[in-house]
């Protein structure tokens, strides 16, 4: 069985996403084909309105493409019902956003256990502690968000995303609300998850420093892929973004 598994965590094939009705429709995403290999860290960048959030939503099964196909592992999403898509997201995909989205009345360990409770599974204390340990918060399990720094809260959000052992972790500007030092600590943590645990991460960011932690940076312009860079510095990524943003429409 394992022999025939493809090595991509997620594949997009000719994905197009239009919004609106005929006559007033906007194409946010145009015939995009992209593969995200397992155990890799990809950053997605592009000027505002380039289709970054559309990519994230279609790839994560939060939104359905107008045409084309999205495959998570060996599961093609087009034919899935809303219920099946919800289950797939819950069991196989993790999310970390710019806002930490923690419940203030719950402790760190209760916040982390939430996805399992929502899935009707009883969280094992050891499992919850293990992921908190993984993000360096083993000693903060009983603290509430208000008793934590922004960086610690984002680590709790990360642990919450990892509790279901997702095949793919999506980050939407995960360091956007953090100061640069704290942001680097979270990025180092993400990098370690890829290198040590073989986690697959796809991160939308506008920050060249954040993008430099990834294995490759995919650039989007006007809903199309506009090249990629691999294993390069923040300065090179920033220069490339400046060029893209200065290009005539």
């Amino acid at each position: 069985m394992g022999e025939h598994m493809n090595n991509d965590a997620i594949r997009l094939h000719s994905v197009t996403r239009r919004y609106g009705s005929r006559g007033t429709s906007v194409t946010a995403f145009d015939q995009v084909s992209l593969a995200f290999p397992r155990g890799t860290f990809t950053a997605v960048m592009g000027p505002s309105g380039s289709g970054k959030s559309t990519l994230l939503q279609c790839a994560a099964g939060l939104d359905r493409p107008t045409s084309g196909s999205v495959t998570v592992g060996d599961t093609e999403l087009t034919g899935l019902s809303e219920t099946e898509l919800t289950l797939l997201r819950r069991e196989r995909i993790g999310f970390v956003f710019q806002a930490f989205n923690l419940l203030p009345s719950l402790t760190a360990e209760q916040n982390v256990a939430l996805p399992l409770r929502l899935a009707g599974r009883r969280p094992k204390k050891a499992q919850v502690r293990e992921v908190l340990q993984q993000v360096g918060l083993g000693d903060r399990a009983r603290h509430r968000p208000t008793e934590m720094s922004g960086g610690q809260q984002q680590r709790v959000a990360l642990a919450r995303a990892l509790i279901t052992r997702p095949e793919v972790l999506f980050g939407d500007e995960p360091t956007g609300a953090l100061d640069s030092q704290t942001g680097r600590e979270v990025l180092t943590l993400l990098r370690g998850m890829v290198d040590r645990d073989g986690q697959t991460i796809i991160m939308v960011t506008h920050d060249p420093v954040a993008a430099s932690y990834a294995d490759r940076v995919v650039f989007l312009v006007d809903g199309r892929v506009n090249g990629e860079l691999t294993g390069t510095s923040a300065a090179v990524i920033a220069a490339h973004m400046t060029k893209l943003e200065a290009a005539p429409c």
Side-chain angles (χ1 to χ4, degrees):
M1 175 73 195
E3 299 284 318
H4 303 294
M5 290 272 293
N6 68 68
N7 197 38
D8 293 327
I10 293 194
R11 269 199 328 277
L12 278 68
H13 180 67
S14 298
V15 172
T16 295
R17 181 67 173 102
R18 285 188 207 90
Y19 295 99
S21 52
R22 275 202 307 264
T24 57
S25 82
V26 175
T27 302
F29 218 53
D30 198 6
Q31 294 284 326
V32 174
S33 294
L34 267 176
F36 300 92
R38 293 175 201 278
T40 61
F41 187 171
T42 305
V44 179
M45 298 188 81
S48 166
S50 60
K52 298 188 298 290
S53 54
T54 305
L55 167 67
L56 187 140
Q57 289 173 328
C58 287
L62 288 162
D63 189 20
R64 291 180 185 270
T66 309
S67 62
S69 70
V70 178
T71 309
V72 174
D74 288 342
T75 309
E76 213 273 303
L77 304 192
T78 328
L80 299 185
S81 67
E82 286 305 317
T83 310
E84 288 168 326
L85 268 179
T86 303
L87 280 173
L88 174 114
R89 288 195 304 266
R90 193 185 283 168
E91 291 170 2
R92 297 172 60 186
I93 289 170
F95 296 97
V96 191
F97 300 99
Q98 180 169 337
F100 317 129
N101 297 336
L102 300 176
L103 293 178
S105 61
L106 299 184
T107 63
E109 61 187 351
Q110 288 168 333
N111 266 292
V112 171
L114 208 54
L116 295 180
R117 290 194 186 283
L118 289 172
R121 283 149 63 189
R122 176 162 294 192
K124 292 191 176 72
K125 195 160 211 132
Q127 196 185 349
V128 173
R129 289 289 167 111
E130 192 189 322
V131 287
L132 279 169
Q133 204 81 46
Q134 201 183 340
V135 299
L137 287 179
D139 56 343
R140 306 303 293 262
R142 295 181 182 278
H143 292 237
R144 289 193 163 75
T146 48
E147 305 170 290
M148 296 183 180
S149 67
Q152 287 168 333
Q153 289 183 60
Q154 189 59 300
R155 284 164 184 254
V156 173
L158 203 48
R160 181 183 57 189
L162 294 169
I163 191 77
T164 55
R165 305 226 158 108
E167 288 167 44
V168 186
L169 180 65
F170 283 96
D172 192 357
E173 299 281 5
T175 54
L178 305 174
D179 63 74
S180 58
Q181 174 58 38
T182 310
R184 283 196 187 97
E185 287 167 15
V186 170
L187 289 158
T188 302
L189 204 56
L190 293 174
R191 184 69 252 172
M193 284 166 190
V194 176
D195 296 338
R196 193 185 55 242
D197 310 319
Q199 181 68 57
T200 307
I201 300 178
I202 301 171
M203 173 180 74
V204 167
T205 183
H206 70 279
D207 177 8
V209 172
S212 70
Y213 282 76
D215 299 303
R216 67 168 180 161
V217 188
V218 172
F219 295 93
L220 295 178
V221 176
D222 295 331
R224 292 197 170 119
V225 176
N226 191 294
E228 54 179 72
L229 294 171
T230 50
T232 188
S233 69
V236 171
I237 295 166
H240 194 78
M241 271 303 292
T242 304
K243 201 168 71 189
L244 291 182
E245 284 170 334
C249 292

